[in-house]
Structure formats: C-alpha cells, structure tokens
Short mmCIF file of all heavy atoms in Angstrom, two decimals:
data_model
loop_
_atom_site.label_atom_id
_atom_site.label_comp_id
_atom_site.label_asym_id
_atom_site.label_seq_id
_atom_site.Cartn_x
_atom_site.Cartn_y
_atom_site.Cartn_z
N GLU B 1 0.82 -1.21 -0.01
CA GLU B 1 -0.01 0.01 0.02
C GLU B 1 0.86 1.25 -0.02
O GLU B 1 0.64 2.21 -0.72
CB GLU B 1 -0.93 0.02 1.19
CG GLU B 1 -1.80 1.25 1.27
CD GLU B 1 -2.62 1.38 2.51
OE1 GLU B 1 -3.08 0.38 3.09
OE2 GLU B 1 -2.76 2.55 3.02
N GLU B 2 1.91 1.26 0.83
CA GLU B 2 2.81 2.42 0.89
C GLU B 2 3.39 2.69 -0.45
O GLU B 2 3.53 3.86 -0.95
CB GLU B 2 3.90 2.16 1.91
CG GLU B 2 4.95 3.23 2.00
CD GLU B 2 6.15 2.87 2.88
OE1 GLU B 2 6.04 1.84 3.65
OE2 GLU B 2 7.15 3.51 2.80
N CYS B 3 3.89 1.63 -1.14
CA CYS B 3 4.49 1.85 -2.47
C CYS B 3 3.49 2.24 -3.54
O CYS B 3 3.79 3.01 -4.43
CB CYS B 3 5.22 0.56 -2.82
SG CYS B 3 6.76 0.32 -1.91
N ALA B 4 2.26 1.76 -3.43
CA ALA B 4 1.21 2.18 -4.34
C ALA B 4 0.93 3.68 -4.17
O ALA B 4 0.78 4.45 -5.15
CB ALA B 4 -0.07 1.40 -4.08
N TYR B 5 0.97 4.13 -2.94
CA TYR B 5 0.78 5.55 -2.64
C TYR B 5 1.97 6.37 -3.18
O TYR B 5 1.79 7.44 -3.79
CB TYR B 5 0.61 5.77 -1.16
CG TYR B 5 0.66 7.24 -0.70
CD1 TYR B 5 -0.40 8.11 -0.94
CD2 TYR B 5 1.90 7.77 -0.19
CE1 TYR B 5 -0.34 9.45 -0.58
CE2 TYR B 5 2.00 9.12 0.14
CZ TYR B 5 0.81 9.95 -0.04
OH TYR B 5 0.92 11.28 0.30
N MET B 6 3.16 5.88 -2.90
CA MET B 6 4.35 6.61 -3.35
C MET B 6 4.42 6.72 -4.89
O MET B 6 4.96 7.69 -5.43
CB MET B 6 5.60 5.94 -2.83
CG MET B 6 5.87 6.12 -1.29
SD MET B 6 5.93 7.88 -0.84
CE MET B 6 7.38 8.43 -1.74
N HIS B 7 3.89 5.72 -5.53
CA HIS B 7 3.82 5.70 -7.01
C HIS B 7 3.05 6.93 -7.46
O HIS B 7 3.52 7.70 -8.35
CB HIS B 7 3.16 4.45 -7.53
CG HIS B 7 2.73 4.52 -8.98
ND1 HIS B 7 3.56 4.59 -10.02
CD2 HIS B 7 1.46 4.61 -9.50
CE1 HIS B 7 2.91 4.68 -11.17
NE2 HIS B 7 1.63 4.69 -10.83
N ALA B 8 1.89 7.14 -6.82
CA ALA B 8 1.09 8.35 -7.17
C ALA B 8 1.77 9.60 -6.69
O ALA B 8 1.71 10.63 -7.41
CB ALA B 8 -0.27 8.23 -6.56
N TYR B 9 2.37 9.59 -5.51
CA TYR B 9 2.96 10.76 -4.91
C TYR B 9 4.17 11.24 -5.80
O TYR B 9 4.42 12.48 -5.83
CB TYR B 9 3.47 10.53 -3.53
CG TYR B 9 3.91 11.70 -2.78
CD1 TYR B 9 3.01 12.66 -2.30
CD2 TYR B 9 5.27 11.98 -2.57
CE1 TYR B 9 3.42 13.76 -1.65
CE2 TYR B 9 5.65 13.12 -1.92
CZ TYR B 9 4.76 14.01 -1.44
OH TYR B 9 5.16 15.16 -0.75
N CYS B 10 4.86 10.33 -6.45
CA CYS B 10 5.96 10.78 -7.33
C CYS B 10 5.48 11.69 -8.44
O CYS B 10 6.19 12.66 -8.81
CB CYS B 10 6.65 9.56 -7.93
SG CYS B 10 7.73 8.71 -6.72
N PHE B 11 4.28 11.44 -8.92
CA PHE B 11 3.74 12.30 -10.05
C PHE B 11 3.36 13.69 -9.44
O PHE B 11 3.47 14.70 -10.06
CB PHE B 11 2.52 11.67 -10.66
CG PHE B 11 2.88 10.46 -11.55
CD1 PHE B 11 2.66 9.20 -11.12
CD2 PHE B 11 3.42 10.65 -12.78
CE1 PHE B 11 3.00 8.11 -11.87
CE2 PHE B 11 3.79 9.56 -13.61
CZ PHE B 11 3.56 8.29 -13.13
N TYR B 12 2.94 13.69 -8.18
CA TYR B 12 2.67 14.94 -7.46
C TYR B 12 4.00 15.70 -7.34
O TYR B 12 4.00 16.95 -7.56
CB TYR B 12 2.04 14.64 -6.08
CG TYR B 12 1.98 15.86 -5.22
CD1 TYR B 12 0.93 16.78 -5.33
CD2 TYR B 12 3.00 16.15 -4.25
CE1 TYR B 12 0.88 17.90 -4.51
CE2 TYR B 12 2.94 17.29 -3.45
CZ TYR B 12 1.86 18.12 -3.58
OH TYR B 12 1.87 19.26 -2.79
N GLU B 13 5.04 15.04 -6.93
CA GLU B 13 6.28 15.69 -6.76
C GLU B 13 6.85 16.25 -8.12
O GLU B 13 7.49 17.26 -8.20
CB GLU B 13 7.37 14.74 -6.23
CG GLU B 13 7.14 14.36 -4.77
CD GLU B 13 7.73 15.39 -3.83
OE1 GLU B 13 7.75 16.61 -4.16
OE2 GLU B 13 8.17 15.02 -2.70
N ASN B 14 6.54 15.53 -9.16
CA ASN B 14 6.99 15.90 -10.56
C ASN B 14 6.15 16.95 -11.22
O ASN B 14 6.48 17.39 -12.31
CB ASN B 14 7.05 14.65 -11.42
CG ASN B 14 8.12 14.74 -12.46
OD1 ASN B 14 9.24 15.31 -12.22
ND2 ASN B 14 7.88 14.24 -13.62
N SER B 15 5.02 17.36 -10.59
CA SER B 15 4.14 18.38 -11.17
C SER B 15 4.77 19.70 -11.23
O SER B 15 5.39 20.16 -10.22
CB SER B 15 2.84 18.41 -10.28
OG SER B 15 2.03 19.51 -10.75
N SER B 16 4.67 20.35 -12.39
CA SER B 16 5.33 21.64 -12.60
C SER B 16 4.53 22.82 -12.09
O SER B 16 3.32 22.62 -11.70
CB SER B 16 5.53 21.85 -14.10
OG SER B 16 6.28 20.79 -14.66
N ASP B 17 5.13 23.96 -12.01
CA ASP B 17 4.37 25.22 -11.62
C ASP B 17 3.21 25.35 -12.66
O ASP B 17 3.28 24.90 -13.79
CB ASP B 17 5.31 26.39 -11.74
CG ASP B 17 6.34 26.41 -10.61
OD1 ASP B 17 6.09 25.73 -9.63
OD2 ASP B 17 7.35 27.05 -10.73
N PHE B 18 2.18 26.10 -12.22
CA PHE B 18 0.91 26.16 -13.04
C PHE B 18 1.17 26.75 -14.39
O PHE B 18 0.40 26.49 -15.33
CB PHE B 18 -0.11 26.97 -12.29
CG PHE B 18 0.03 28.42 -12.30
CD1 PHE B 18 -0.51 29.19 -13.32
CD2 PHE B 18 0.78 29.10 -11.31
CE1 PHE B 18 -0.35 30.58 -13.35
CE2 PHE B 18 0.98 30.47 -11.34
CZ PHE B 18 0.42 31.22 -12.36
N ASN B 19 2.16 27.58 -14.55
CA ASN B 19 2.40 28.21 -15.85
C ASN B 19 3.18 27.44 -16.79
O ASN B 19 3.45 27.81 -17.93
CB ASN B 19 3.09 29.58 -15.62
CG ASN B 19 4.42 29.43 -14.91
OD1 ASN B 19 4.58 28.61 -14.02
ND2 ASN B 19 5.39 30.35 -15.19
N LEU B 20 3.54 26.16 -16.40
CA LEU B 20 4.28 25.23 -17.27
C LEU B 20 3.36 24.05 -17.69
O LEU B 20 2.19 24.06 -17.38
CB LEU B 20 5.55 24.73 -16.58
CG LEU B 20 6.55 25.79 -16.10
CD1 LEU B 20 7.65 25.15 -15.32
CD2 LEU B 20 7.11 26.53 -17.33
N ASP B 21 3.98 23.09 -18.39
CA ASP B 21 3.14 21.96 -18.82
C ASP B 21 2.59 21.21 -17.64
O ASP B 21 3.31 20.97 -16.62
CB ASP B 21 4.06 21.03 -19.65
CG ASP B 21 3.32 19.80 -20.14
OD1 ASP B 21 2.45 19.90 -21.04
OD2 ASP B 21 3.58 18.71 -19.63
N GLN B 22 1.31 20.79 -17.72
CA GLN B 22 0.68 20.16 -16.59
C GLN B 22 0.33 18.65 -16.84
O GLN B 22 -0.51 18.08 -16.22
CB GLN B 22 -0.64 20.90 -16.35
CG GLN B 22 -0.46 22.34 -15.85
CD GLN B 22 0.33 22.37 -14.56
OE1 GLN B 22 -0.04 21.80 -13.58
NE2 GLN B 22 1.49 23.08 -14.61
N THR B 23 1.17 18.04 -17.67
CA THR B 23 0.90 16.61 -17.93
C THR B 23 1.10 15.76 -16.66
O THR B 23 0.24 14.89 -16.37
CB THR B 23 1.94 16.08 -18.96
OG1 THR B 23 1.78 16.78 -20.19
CG2 THR B 23 1.74 14.63 -19.23
N SER B 24 2.13 16.01 -15.91
CA SER B 24 2.36 15.31 -14.61
C SER B 24 1.32 15.60 -13.58
O SER B 24 0.91 14.75 -12.74
CB SER B 24 3.73 15.60 -14.04
OG SER B 24 4.72 14.92 -14.85
N THR B 25 0.74 16.82 -13.64
CA THR B 25 -0.30 17.19 -12.66
C THR B 25 -1.57 16.34 -12.98
O THR B 25 -2.18 15.82 -12.06
CB THR B 25 -0.68 18.64 -12.85
OG1 THR B 25 0.50 19.49 -12.62
CG2 THR B 25 -1.70 19.11 -11.87
#
C-alpha cells in the first residue's frame, strides 16, 4: 500500500508550476 501511494505521490512531486506543462499534474 505504501508503495502504491508513493507511485502516485511521485507524479505529485513531478508536477510543474501552473504556468508550465501540466501533464504530470
């Protein structure tokens, strides 16, 4: 479960500022 959460959280960490590309968001 922890790793499944961290999988999703990595995309959160990789999310760019709002004025940039939002694919990871």
Side-chain angles (χ1 to χ4, degrees):
E1 180 187 321
E2 176 188 346
C3 287
Y5 169 77
M6 287 303 299
H7 165 68
Y9 188 75
C10 283
F11 289 103
Y12 170 83
E13 289 277 33
N14 210 36
S15 175
S16 304
D17 291 339
F18 77 89
N19 56 329
L20 301 175
D21 180 72
Q22 293 302 300
T23 301
S24 287
T25 302

